[in-house]
Amino acid sequence: MLTFVSIPTLALYKPVHDPKFIVGPGPDTGVFFGGILEVIVGLACIGTAVALYPVVKRQNEGVALGFVGTRILEAGTIFVGVACLLSVVTLRQAGVGAEVGQSFLPAVNALLLGSLLYQSRLVPRILPLIGFIGAPLLVAADVAVLFGFIGSTSPQAALSALPIALWEFSLGVWLVVKGFTPSPILSSTTQMQD
């Protein structure tokens, strides 16, 4: 649920998207606060992967490791984005420009973790299904942004991110309130090893 602390950054980073941001006046406090929130999100990405790995590896260790890897990669891209953003602020204070973003890796994470949770039934199957629906929508929006069909802050891009946000939020709430199902279904290879 800590990954949702970055939601205010949409508003906090709005001044950075102004073409005149570098040469314009105004405080940078909101941008710095947004950067701090993003660092918290990056650390939460790594923390959730490390916390979930021992549980989901029983279903499929390779996919579980893939999830840990992509979460670390996601955190890395967040940290790089924050560094770029802070360099833009530095350029503003010195007098020069750039842009920031992230969203492809949450779709990959939803597919990896969602498949583990769906197969093992550690949570109700509807939760991973939300992630399965959201992942292709988010990837499609990323491709549309990449090719200039929609803007990265357009209503279409925001709507395409809602299912992934719902997946992550509902999973977090479920785990806090109910936890994992006591007797998950293990993969056949794990059952043979036991």
Side-chain angles (χ1 to χ4, degrees), residues 32-145:
F32 285 121
F33 185 64
I36 291 168
L37 294 176
E38 294 260 39
V39 168
I40 292 169
V41 169
L43 294 173
C45 283
I46 295 169
T48 56
V50 170
L52 289 171
Y53 175 75
V55 177
V56 296
K57 77 174 184 176
R58 293 179 285 169
Q59 179 61 33
N60 185 318
E61 191 169 4
V63 175
L65 278 172
F67 174 67
V68 171
T70 59
R71 283 301 259 194
I72 291 170
L73 183 60
E74 180 181 3
T77 61
I78 291 169
F79 297 149
V80 168
V82 170
C84 290
L85 183 67
L86 295 179
S87 69
V88 170
V89 172
T90 302
L91 291 172
R92 177 184 195 193
Q93 293 171 353
V96 195
E99 241 180 77
V100 193
Q102 81 182 72
S103 79
F104 176 71
L105 288 172
V108 175
N109 290 333
L111 292 174
L112 292 173
L113 182 59
S115 67
L116 290 168
L117 294 177
Y118 186 84
Q119 291 171 4
S120 66
R121 297 185 184 172
L122 286 166
V123 297
R125 285 186 152 189
I126 187 66
L127 296 178
L129 285 175
I130 297 169
F132 294 153
I133 292 167
L137 291 174
L138 190 57
V139 170
D142 286 343
V143 170
V145 168

Side-chain angles (χ1 to χ4, degrees), residues 7-52:
I7 290 174
T9 61
L10 295 173
L12 294 170
Y13 291 167
K14 191 167 182 139
V16 178
H17 294 287
D18 182 354
K20 296 180 182 178
F21 175 77
I22 298 297
V23 293
D28 299 322
T29 309
V31 178
F32 285 121
F33 185 64
I36 291 168
L37 294 176
E38 294 260 39
V39 168
I40 292 169
V41 169
L43 294 173
C45 283
I46 295 169
T48 56
V50 170
L52 289 171

